[in-house]
Amino acid sequence: MKYTTLPNTDIKISKICLGTMTFGEQNTEADGHAQMDYALEQGVNFFDTAEMYSVPGRKETYGSTEKIIGTWFKKLGNREKIFLASKIAGPSPGMPYIRENMDFSPESIALSIDKSLTRLQTDYIDLYQLHWPERKANCFGQRGFKVQNDAWEDNIHEVLETLDGFIKQGKINHIGLSNETPWGIMRFLEESKYHNLPKIKTVQNPYSLLSRLFEVGSSEVCVRENVGLLAYSPLGFGRLTGKFLKGESLPNSRIELFPQFARYNSAQSIEATRLYNEIAEKNGLSLTELSLAFVTQQAFVTSTIIGATTLEQLKENIASIDVVLSDEIIAEINAVQAIIPDPAP
């Protein structure tokens, strides 16, 4: 395994992070425990979860992923070996079962942290993230900012003060954002800089060969402000494994199980995947290796979040850490990006 440090700290974390959102939906508790066992054996010491997981979010499985991680901690007594990240869900009309007020008020943050700690069977969360903004700024699968009346009033100072209180209590250690825009990242940095409040260490956004929008604006912010990207969906819901290229039906795949997550199903995504696969084959790589190596070696990426439904997939994903793409391969990738830019925003 390769390691880096969490920005602005001396904490060593693995460049591969185990994503766990399938635990409790596509993966059983036993599956989840086996994945965490294997990941830790391979040197992965960074796990990511969220209060709303598993995915897709629904009342019947809400919190199941954190519970599975919690039973693993209790069984093995190895909490101190893992750098653990979780998230508080932002406003969503479809998730009233999480809590009555889906906001980032002090009361909501307190409730969410305590519930996560209980499910995780731990006293602290290493990295606590805001899963998506309160304001209407991000819409999955769409490009650009749409002006709309969301009645949001800037409460970022209050949110940071609240999180600071939980840091001082020892319930969380560091904070981060997720599904954020360059403006949002900078607002949080501005408040922490001028008011002596905790600085965000990371932002968790989608980033892959099919979605490189993070490079526009956000990557410069991260490099200049020393904030690390935790890249999620680096394989585009499995699209970039190449398993769909033969046109076969794969009923247990995420793309077919959850058609509502359709951003990786466009004709452009399928064609771009075909072209990236040609590059991989030409250079003696699997498409998975090419896709994950591309993400991991970007200067602004702190860790690449990988998820799998089988141990075989997990093994290939983790093994990609040893693949390094040459300048020539990167040039070939960029040539495809120029023809079909960001087909899955």
Side-chain angles (χ1 to χ4, degrees):
M1 183 49 55
K2 295 177 182 177
Y3 299 89
T4 185
T5 55
L6 185 73
N8 301 295
T9 76
D10 59 0
I11 299 170
K12 185 177 76 169
I13 57 174
S14 50
K15 288 285 289 180
I16 294 287
C17 171
L18 179 64
T20 61
M21 72 178 188
T22 61
F23 297 1
E25 179 68 49
Q26 291 170 273
N27 289 113
T28 64
E29 180 181 56
D31 292 336
H33 285 198
Q35 286 198 24
M36 290 184 283
D37 287 342
Y38 181 78
L40 184 58
E41 289 169 3
Q42 298 304 307
V44 175
N45 69 347
F46 184 11
F47 294 178
D48 177 75
T49 187
E51 67 172 354
M52 68 158 282
Y53 289 170
S54 58
V55 170
R58 53 194 182 95
K59 183 177 181 179
E60 295 76 12
T61 56
Y62 151 61
S64 61
T65 301
E66 287 187 328
K67 289 177 183 177
I68 290 172
I69 295 172
T71 58
W72 186 73
F73 284 149
K74 183 178 181 180
K75 179 177 71 173
L76 297 178
N78 59 358
R79 171 66 183 91
E80 74 285 351
K81 294 182 179 180
I82 303 301
F83 185 86
L84 179 65
S86 193
K87 314 178 195 74
I88 176 175
S92 174
M95 298 182 184
Y97 50 83
I98 293 182
R99 58 183 179 277
E100 183 177 355
N101 296 312
M102 294 289 289
D103 57 18
F104 296 150
S105 65
E107 297 77 17
S108 292
I109 293 174
L111 181 63
S112 288
I113 288 176
D114 285 342
K115 283 188 173 182
S116 285
L117 290 174
T118 298
R119 288 188 292 264
L120 290 162
Q121 301 194 50
T122 184
D123 296 325
Y124 65 98
I125 296 168
D126 294 289
L127 176 66
Y128 199 61
Q129 306 155 101
L130 307 180
H131 207 155
W132 57 84
E134 285 182 285
R135 66 192 193 281
K136 292 183 179 179
N138 177 275
C139 185
F140 298 114
Q142 293 187 6
R143 292 184 181 85
F145 171 66
K146 291 188 176 182
V147 179
Q148 48 194 318
N149 181 18
D150 56 9
W152 177 75
E153 295 182 4
D154 193 328
N155 63 342
I156 290 174
H157 185 97
E158 179 188 57
V159 170
L160 285 174
E161 281 189 325
T162 301
L163 293 172
D164 188 33
F166 287 105
I167 291 173
K168 290 174 179 174
Q169 290 179 40
K171 291 186 176 183
I172 61 176
N173 292 335
H174 306 280
I175 59 172
L177 304 174
S178 183
N179 298 300
E180 242 324 342
T181 67
W183 183 88
I185 298 170
M186 285 304 302
R187 275 293 293 121
F188 275 90
L189 291 170
E190 181 181 54
E191 286 299 318
S192 64
K193 182 177 181 180
Y194 294 110
H195 299 285
N196 193 32
L197 290 167
K199 179 182 178 180
I200 59 165
K201 303 296 197 303
T202 58
V203 57
Q204 184 176 147
N205 277 26
Y207 183 69
S208 71
L209 290 176
L210 299 179
S211 179
R212 294 174 60 177
L213 291 176
F214 192 86
E215 295 175 9
V216 183
S218 293
S219 61
E220 182 181 9
V221 171
C222 284
V223 170
R224 296 191 185 280
E225 300 293 331
N226 196 24
V227 174
L229 172 62
L230 306 180
Y232 79 78
S233 288
L235 292 175
F237 253 50
R239 174 70 63 191
L240 287 167
T241 63
K243 60 187 176 184
F244 300 98
L245 289 173
K246 296 180 181 179
E248 299 174 358
S249 176
L250 299 169
N252 294 322
S253 66
R254 294 184 212 180
I255 284 179
E256 295 202 16
L257 281 173
F258 313 121
Q260 66 269 40
F261 302 120
R263 54 180 156 169
Y264 302 106
N265 289 342
S266 68
Q268 294 93 332
S269 290
I270 294 169
E271 175 61 12
T273 299
R274 186 187 66 79
L275 294 173
Y276 289 128
N277 188 60
E278 288 182 357
I279 295 172
E281 290 183 341
K282 172 184 171 184
N283 290 280
L285 300 169
S286 71
L287 182 55
T288 296
E289 290 174 325
L290 180 84
S291 301
L292 292 178
F294 173 80
V295 172
T296 299
Q297 69 187 64
Q298 299 301 315
F300 50 84
V301 172
T302 290
S303 193
T304 301
I305 302 174
I306 54 99
T309 53
T310 69
L311 272 177
E312 289 70 27
Q313 292 170 345
L314 183 63
K315 289 175 182 178
E316 182 180 15
N317 291 351
I318 292 176
S320 72
I321 194 66
D322 295 320
V323 178
V324 178
L325 304 183
S326 66
D327 291 343
E328 290 75 18
I329 295 176
I330 295 296
E332 292 181 64
I333 287 171
N334 288 337
V336 174
Q337 165 75 359
I339 300 170
I340 311 176
D342 306 308

